[in-house]
Amino acid sequence: MKIIRSIKSFGQWRNSIARSESVGFVPTMGALHAGHLSLVGKSRRENRRTVVSIFVNPMQFGPKEDFSKYPRPWKKDLSLLKKAGVDVVFFPANEEMYASNFQTEVSVSRLSNLLCGRPEFRGSHHFTGVATVVLKLFNIVRPTRAYFGLKDFQQVRVLEQMVRDLNVPVRIVRCPTVREASGLAMSSRNAYLSSTEKMASAQIYAALQRGKKLLTSKPKMTPGQVRHIIIRDLKNVHGFRVEYVELVDSETLQPLTKKTFPALLAAAVRVGPARLIDNLLIHA
Ligand code: AMP
């Protein structure tokens, strides 16, 4: 496995492989877990080469967010990636990605303002940071396919829209959410949780599943009524601060007042020091 830290060296590697070789790409911020590794596995099955990037992107963190605290167990990450059979890890320093006079932003306007992007939550600039760094990484890596987890559904939609709007020659591949045995969606931020908080956090998925059942089995129940039941359930869990529970159109992410499918049932909850998100895609 090659570990490459500069854009120039990455370009040399990229130019050294045959044009016919497909390249799968998995962008990450490190602190890797089985969710990340499932993306790597899918990329390896579908491509001749697999590139993983590890970059904690300062541009997608708000001033009050956890950029400096974000876990960086890089030695362990590199050994997991080596074991997983990755060809190249692109592991740039901040200055390599953002020169001192950096000033260009990619903003996917409508999708970025909703759900986690609302001003009272992470704000739309979070997704501008994501879209900007991912477009930079696509230009550096020049992948055939890029793999993203559905746990971050809004991120996937923002990137799909960016690729379509800007004619970026890459195929975005959606990958299912990998969960703990309890149902809790795996996340690097779960490391912030105490064991009690982690156990309680499984209630997020459980509440979404109950909501899905109500939506599909009770024809008279409206999205608003189901949302209120889920919010009530989550508020009853000790230590939970609910940011939102929404039923939205799975393409536009606009809130639904009537049941139209496919829909996304999504939630964000603060548990102790962590902000956790999860969602379920619901078909008719
Ligand atoms: P991150 O390192 O958090 O930026 O995540 C890198 C990629 O891994 C993103 O595409 C995430 O959506 C994906 N990912 C994170 N957690 C999971 C999970 N539990 N299951 C599947 N994919 C995930």
Side-chain angles (χ1 to χ4, degrees), residues 121-175:
F121 304 137
R122 298 197 79 175
S124 61
H125 199 260
H126 164 67
F127 290 107
T128 298
V130 170
T132 303
V133 82
V134 171
L135 185 60
K136 277 173 73 68
L137 290 166
F138 283 172
N139 286 333
I140 295 163
V141 175
R142 290 178 269 147
T144 318
R145 299 181 187 83
Y147 295 79
F148 294 91
L150 285 172
K151 180 181 79 73
D152 303 286
F153 192 94
Q154 187 173 12
Q155 171 170 284
V156 175
R157 279 296 303 120
V158 164
L159 296 174
E160 287 172 344
Q161 193 69 40
M162 174 187 81
V163 160
R164 194 188 306 162
D165 289 351
L166 300 182
N167 309 93
V168 185
V170 61
R171 177 107 53 91
I172 301 280
V173 182
R174 294 178 169 202
C175 303

Side-chain angles (χ1 to χ4, degrees), residues 26-30 33 35-36 38-39 60 70 147-152 155 175-179 185-188:
V26 182
T28 82
M29 299 204 299
H33 50 66
H36 297 110
S38 75
L39 274 51
Q60 71 191 67
Y70 199 83
Y147 295 79
F148 294 91
L150 285 172
K151 180 181 79 73
D152 303 286
Q155 171 170 284
C175 303
T177 301
V178 175
R179 299 177 180 283
M186 288 192 183
S187 163
S188 307

